């Protein structure tokens, strides 16, 4: 089950990507925002995958999914909490 924080992150990334695709024109820097939002995995995938608009979108989507997993894991860890062991 995906946490609320991870879902909100994925929605934000999807909205940024949709806005960037619609706002992108020749010489526009709009596509940088979703790439930065999916960093570091999105940037690494962009360097590894072949060139093309489809691969650019794929790197952002996969980067956002990996980051959402990390956000969800962190949210679960914070919600669970940790009480320090008392020394005997």
């Amino acid at each position: 089950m995906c946490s609320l924080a991870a879902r909100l992150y994925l929605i934000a990334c999807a909205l940024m990507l949709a806005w960037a695709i619609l706002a992108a024109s020749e010489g526009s820097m709009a596509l940088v925002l979703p790439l930065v939002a999916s960093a570091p995995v999105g940037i690494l995938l962009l360097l590894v995958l072949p060139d093309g608009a489809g691969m650019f979108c794929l790197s952002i989507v996969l980067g956002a999914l990996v980051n959402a997993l990390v956000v969800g894991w962190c949210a679960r860890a914070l919600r669970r909490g940790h009480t320090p062991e008392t020394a005997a």
Side-chain angles (χ1 to χ4, degrees), residues 59-77:
S59 68
I60 291 174
V61 168
L62 291 177
L65 287 173
V66 170
N67 288 346
L69 288 173
V70 172
V71 167
W73 176 78
C74 290
R76 279 190 304 275

Side-chain angles (χ1 to χ4, degrees), residues 5-34:
R7 288 180 194 163
L8 291 175
Y9 172 76
L10 283 175
I11 290 169
C13 285
L15 290 174
M16 278 189 277
L17 181 59
W19 169 79
I21 289 171
L22 293 174
S25 62
E26 189 65 33
S28 174
M29 295 292 290
L31 293 173
V32 173
L33 185 62

Side-chain angles (χ1 to χ4, degrees), residues 20-87:
I21 289 171
L22 293 174
S25 62
E26 189 65 33
S28 174
M29 295 292 290
L31 293 173
V32 173
L33 185 62
L35 185 61
V36 170
S38 67
V41 177
I43 294 174
L44 291 174
L45 287 173
L46 184 64
L47 295 173
V48 173
L49 294 174
D51 291 339
M55 292 298 128
F56 180 79
C57 289
L58 182 65
S59 68
I60 291 174
V61 168
L62 291 177
L65 287 173
V66 170
N67 288 346
L69 288 173
V70 172
V71 167
W73 176 78
C74 290
R76 279 190 304 275
L78 289 172
R79 195 174 28 239
R80 184 177 33 215
H82 179 69
T83 55
E85 301 284 332
T86 55

